[in-house]
Amino acid sequence: MNDRAALPATLEQSAFWMPFTANRQFRKAPRLLARAEGMYYWTPEGRKVLDGTAGLWCVNAGHCRPKIVEAISRQAATLDFAPTFQMAHPLAFDFAQRLKRLAPPGLSHVFFTNSGSESVDTALKIALAYHRARGEGQRFRLIGRERGYHGVNFGGTSVGGIVGNRKSFGPGVAGVDHLRHTHDPARNAFSRGLPQHGAELADDLERLAALHDPSSIAAVIVEPVAASTGVLLPPRGYLERLRAICDRHGILLIFDEVITGFGRLGKPFASGYFDVVPDLFTTAKGLTNGTIPMGAVFASDKVFDAFMQGPEGAIELAHGYTYSGHPMACAAGIAALDTYEEEGLLTRAGELAGYWDQAAHALRGAPHVVDIRSIGLVAGIELEPRPGAPGARAYEAFVKAFEAGALIRVTGDIIALSPPLIIQKDEIDRLFGIVGQALASIA
Ligand SMILES: Cc1ncc(COP(=O)(O)O)c(C=O)c1O
């Protein structure tokens, strides 16, 4: 069954150019969501769908949570908008202060954006401007990693490492290079916990430092767990090694925590999970429980202090967005933090991780499965691509799962699962059960 019946006749011709979507294929067999609550979506015709992806990795406390709904509507009627350029409103200060309490010590400055992509570009620009402010303006190079996803703005596209997201958009930002990715199924397939092999891949940064000269490199950006490319976990010791090399050469380390932030791994942030502290880290998504678009970049005291020099009347960072610190987003974010904290959601993934991991790995041996990776409340199930049709097998599994009542996500031939952190054990069973059935039903 699909939900085509519920479409207005005009949808097929609608002006909506859908993002990251096969628009023509979608219009022939659309999948629509009309309502949501807690762990579930409902289609326009009333079919209930278990949310196995927290929307798009963002609805960490589940859908339509009353406290957040109420905060947004109250704020909309109280102060709908206020500028934050040479002006401000109290909620932006309150929210930043609340966030600082969750961050690793020393990362106590918060710059607001409106999305993960903007957070990434903001962090990269802060890194460049930081070095310039310290008299090291020759550090212009930015290093990303193969298979990294850092959003779709020019900075994030440039440091990102997913070929399909880069190939159509020209040369991008100058002076970018990439570390090798860490995916090594030959040595690490079906690992339980972090992969044993691959810490030495961090030494790729030494290779790039030798190639370009370390004094030209401003920053390295990586996702602590590379999610959008298909859930690639860092090999044991890899992030520590990257941190050490950055320190050796005066390079800033940026973690992109747009997905790992706000409890996904069982800690507020992945830096706490891995015990590796970056100089800057990016967030979005779970920041407001996905309700109002917002992102935030956390900066270390060292970085922030480098800007707070010179004449007091000078604007220290010529950067910001009309909607940086939007009052409704701040209200939503504060209510999201209240909900996370009251319900213990920032650590709940840690409590469920064992059960989740067991359920994920029970799919070992299911048709087409060549690797399974899990951490916190995230799982990647990698399928063998169908010869000559990469991605087709996972896409069919995604459609079958939706028809059977679960929203899952696929990237290439990898299924990625990341439910709201309120998921119950019986729902974990149902989610993996539906995935198993979907895999069994496709060729
Ligand atoms: C690690 C990471 N960075 C950045 C982004 C971009 O976020 P947005 O889509 O809000 O711009 C994403 C989105 O999935 C992401 O996973």
Side-chain angles (χ1 to χ4, degrees):
M1 169 174 76
N2 71 43
D3 300 300
R4 188 175 174 75
L7 289 183
T10 53
L11 190 142
E12 208 154 328
Q13 304 301 329
S14 165
F16 180 28
W17 185 347
M18 294 173 66
F20 274 121
T21 294
N23 278 255
R24 288 159 300 158
Q25 182 189 52
F26 184 90
R27 278 167 164 71
K28 286 191 185 136
R31 292 168 295 278
L32 297 185
L33 303 168
R35 185 168 78 78
E37 191 182 326
M39 279 300 303
Y40 295 92
Y41 280 112
W42 280 263
T43 66
E45 56 189 17
R47 203 164 57 80
K48 193 172 173 184
V49 178
L50 178 64
D51 184 359
T53 60
L56 206 45
W57 312 85
C58 52
V59 185
N60 288 7
H63 295 274
C64 292
R65 300 306 311 270
K67 207 164 203 162
I68 306 174
V69 173
E70 202 184 301
I72 292 170
S73 45
R74 198 179 335 110
Q75 190 59 39
T78 309
L79 179 70
D80 52 354
F81 177 79
T84 51
F85 296 2
Q86 303 280 36
M87 284 297 305
H89 61 92
L91 279 188
F93 290 95
D94 293 350
F95 189 28
Q97 210 53 26
R98 287 281 300 275
L99 289 166
K100 167 183 160 176
R101 279 194 245 140
L102 290 180
L107 276 118
S108 39
H109 306 278
V110 178
F111 195 101
F112 288 119
T113 71
N114 306 293
S115 66
S117 299
E118 287 183 1
S119 290
V120 166
D121 277 35
T122 296
L124 298 175
K125 286 178 74 177
I126 289 176
L128 293 171
Y130 159 79
H131 288 298
R132 191 169 193 276
R134 294 167 54 250
E136 288 198 45
Q138 86 287 351
R139 286 188 184 263
F140 66 92
R141 285 187 204 281
L142 300 167
I143 308 292
R145 188 171 58 185
E146 293 169 352
R147 297 193 64 158
Y149 182 66
H150 301 294
V152 294
N153 289 350
F154 269 102
T157 302
S158 302
V159 293
I162 297 180
V163 183
N165 294 349
R166 296 163 50 83
K167 67 182 181 196
S168 304
F169 306 112
V173 172
V176 168
D177 212 336
H178 293 80
L179 303 169
R180 288 174 61 196
H181 66 72
T182 62
H183 192 32
D184 187 356
R187 291 196 293 171
N188 289 324
F190 298 106
S191 293
R192 304 301 285 262
L194 298 184
Q196 285 290 352
H197 305 285
E200 73 285 355
L201 289 164
D203 297 344
D204 215 28
L205 183 54
E206 287 288 14
R207 180 181 65 83
L208 294 180
L211 174 67
H212 298 300
D213 195 85
S215 69
S216 74
I217 301 178
V220 174
I221 182 166
V222 293
E223 301 155 88
V225 173
S228 295
T229 188
V231 187
L232 308 184
L233 313 190
R236 276 168 217 265
Y238 173 91
L239 293 173
E240 292 85 337
R241 210 141 145 176
L242 208 53
R243 174 74 269 183
I245 299 170
C246 286
D247 287 344
R248 199 172 309 142
H249 296 302
I251 298 168
L252 293 181
L253 178 61
I254 306 172
F255 278 173
D256 186 344
E257 293 232 33
V258 165
I259 280 178
T260 52
F262 302 100
R264 181 55 53 198
L265 306 185
K267 298 271 186 183
F269 299 107
S271 54
Y273 183 92
F274 293 112
D275 209 12
V276 176
V277 180
D279 300 291
L280 292 153
F281 70 97
T282 59
T283 64
K285 297 191 188 263
L287 179 64
T288 59
N289 201 40
T291 53
I292 303 274
M294 189 183 216
V297 178
F298 291 67
S300 67
D301 298 340
K302 172 181 89 175
V303 168
F304 180 79
D305 291 347
F307 287 91
M308 299 302 128
Q309 311 288 335
E312 227 178 75
I315 289 171
E316 298 97 354
L317 179 67
H319 179 76
Y321 303 95
T322 297
Y323 302 127
S324 285
H326 194 288
M328 278 169 56
C330 289
I334 290 168
L337 288 190
D338 287 342
T339 306
Y340 294 153
E341 286 171 2
E342 282 162 21
E343 299 180 12
L345 297 180
L346 296 176
T347 50
R348 189 158 189 273
E351 292 151 25
L352 281 174
Y355 193 87
W356 171 265
D357 185 70
Q358 202 67 27
H361 280 272
L363 286 176
R364 186 171 183 169
H368 320 301
V369 173
V370 294
D371 189 15
I372 294 171
R373 308 178 279 275
S374 125
I375 186 169
L377 275 177
V378 189
I381 301 158
E382 183 152 355
L383 310 183
E384 191 176 4
R386 191 175 289 156
R393 197 167 256 160
Y395 177 77
E396 281 172 28
F398 159 69
V399 173
K400 293 274 184 202
F402 185 68
E403 288 169 354
L407 180 65
I408 64 171
R409 181 149 178 74
V410 294
T411 163
D413 272 297
I414 302 167
I415 295 171
L417 301 175
S418 60
L421 307 173
I422 57 170
I423 194 167
Q424 300 294 326
K425 287 183 177 172
D426 62 320
E427 292 163 330
I428 293 177
D429 296 343
R430 186 140 27 99
L431 180 59
F432 284 101
I434 289 176
V435 171
Q437 283 162 16
L439 291 174
S441 70
I442 58 174

